[in-house]
């Protein structure tokens, strides 16, 4: 005895085709290899030669936290913009108020002393340059110089994009990504991009964080002001754009299933 008539068989075929389309369009898995860091490749994208990390050089438009600590309260009032109590805090606005801007000519204007050249110097070198011009004023006092705009921005396919303060001298690319909650499921780990200001221009460099040889490269350590951009995988856009079609196909599949059940029930009753 025939269970299905010709029309029911046609509907079953249509249901199979639509179900296959739904599976294809809603699919999109990431293999463990695509999500694994520090892999060993025979053909690495890096030279393999160790590049020592560079020290950050102060640039115009940076902000420096300069603090004179002394037993003499008059010195603190003279050289500290907000008085002796103006220590660095977690919020950027307060730190900006308690900082010295680096002018376009590369100097900071120290009260009662005048401009001091700091651009192109490391923080240690800038501290020494400022201490030198303050020798006539400082007696048994200590000087603190820190970078206020010491942050990294993490954008794109990460779980928590944003701008994060760097609290240590050396921050690796993996630590910066961890600040952003790690790369999202559909983030492309093979072509991350770093946007970095260098010598008055903006450099964009793409790199592969699944390759363990990145540890020896010049982009393993993050510099203040870096922007890390994680591109989406191609399948990510396909999954997003296909979502309405997936819903429509799922609804159509359900409708076809219902029609098949009704027709099959009517066919069995007619036998």
């Amino acid at each position: 005895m025939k269970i299905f008539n010709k029309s029911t068989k046609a509907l079953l075929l249509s249901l199979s085709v639509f179900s296959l389309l739904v599976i294809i369009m809603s699919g999109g898995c990431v293999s463990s290899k695509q999500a694994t860091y520090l892999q060993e490749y025979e053909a690495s994208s890096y030279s393999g030669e160790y590049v020592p990390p560079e020290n950050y050089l102060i640039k115009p438009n940076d902000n420096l936290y300069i603090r004179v600590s002394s037993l003499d309260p008059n010195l603190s009032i003279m050289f500290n913009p907000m008085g002796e109590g103006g220590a660095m805090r977690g919020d950027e606005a307060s730190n900006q108020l308690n900082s010295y801007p680096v002018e376009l000519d590369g100097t900071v204007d120290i009260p009662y002393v005048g401009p001091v050249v700091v651009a192109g110097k490391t923080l240690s070198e800038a501290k020494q340059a400022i201490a030198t011009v303050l020798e006539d004023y400082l007696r048994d006092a200590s000087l603190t110089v820190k970078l206020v705009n010491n942050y990294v921005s993490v954008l794109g396919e990460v779980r928590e994009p944003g701008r994060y303060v760097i609290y240590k001298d050396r921050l690796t690319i993996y630590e910066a990504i961890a600040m952003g909650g790690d790369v999202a499921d559909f983030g492309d780990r093979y072509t991350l991009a770093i946007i970095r200001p260098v010598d008055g221009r903006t450099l964009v460099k793409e790199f592969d964080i699944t390759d363990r040889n990145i540890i020896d490269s010049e982009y393993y350590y993050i510099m203040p002001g870096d922007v890390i951009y994680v591109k989406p995988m191609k399948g990510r856009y396909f999954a997003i754009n296909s979502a309405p079609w997936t819903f429509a196909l799922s609804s159509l599949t359900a409708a076809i299933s219902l029609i098949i059940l009704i027709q099959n029930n009517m066919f069995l009753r007619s036998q």
Side-chain angles (χ1 to χ4, degrees), residues 162-178:
R163 188 169 69 172
Y164 297 93
V165 178
I166 302 174
Y167 291 105
K168 54 191 298 187
D169 292 336
R170 300 287 186 199
L171 185 76
T172 70
I173 180 64
Y174 294 112
E175 290 173 318
I177 293 172

Side-chain angles (χ1 to χ4, degrees), residues 203-214:
L203 179 67
V204 180
K205 174 71 174 180
E206 292 186 346
F207 54 95
D208 180 359
I209 58 172
T210 68
D211 190 338
R212 68 180 305 165
N213 286 324
I214 190 178

Side-chain angles (χ1 to χ4, degrees), residues 42-98:
E42 293 183 2
S44 175
S45 57
Y46 302 100
S47 64
E49 297 181 0
Y50 175 70
V51 179
E54 298 179 356
N55 291 317
Y56 180 77
L57 301 180
I58 298 170
K59 304 184 299 295
N61 297 320
D62 280 347
N63 286 81
L64 299 181
Y65 171 84
I66 302 174
R67 207 89 196 135
V68 176
S69 299
S70 173
L71 295 176
D72 186 350
N74 294 323
L75 284 177
S76 299
I77 295 174
M78 287 175 60
F79 297 110
N80 298 327
M82 299 295 291
E84 194 167 2
M88 285 191 72
R89 298 180 175 87
D91 59 297
E92 185 176 351
S94 297
N95 291 334
Q96 293 284 350
L97 291 174
N98 286 285

Side-chain angles (χ1 to χ4, degrees), residues 242-262:
S242 64
W245 293 101
T246 303
F247 175 77
L249 288 174
S250 299
S251 301
L252 186 57
T253 302
I256 292 174
S257 301
L258 181 61
I259 293 174
I260 289 174
L261 288 174
I262 295 174

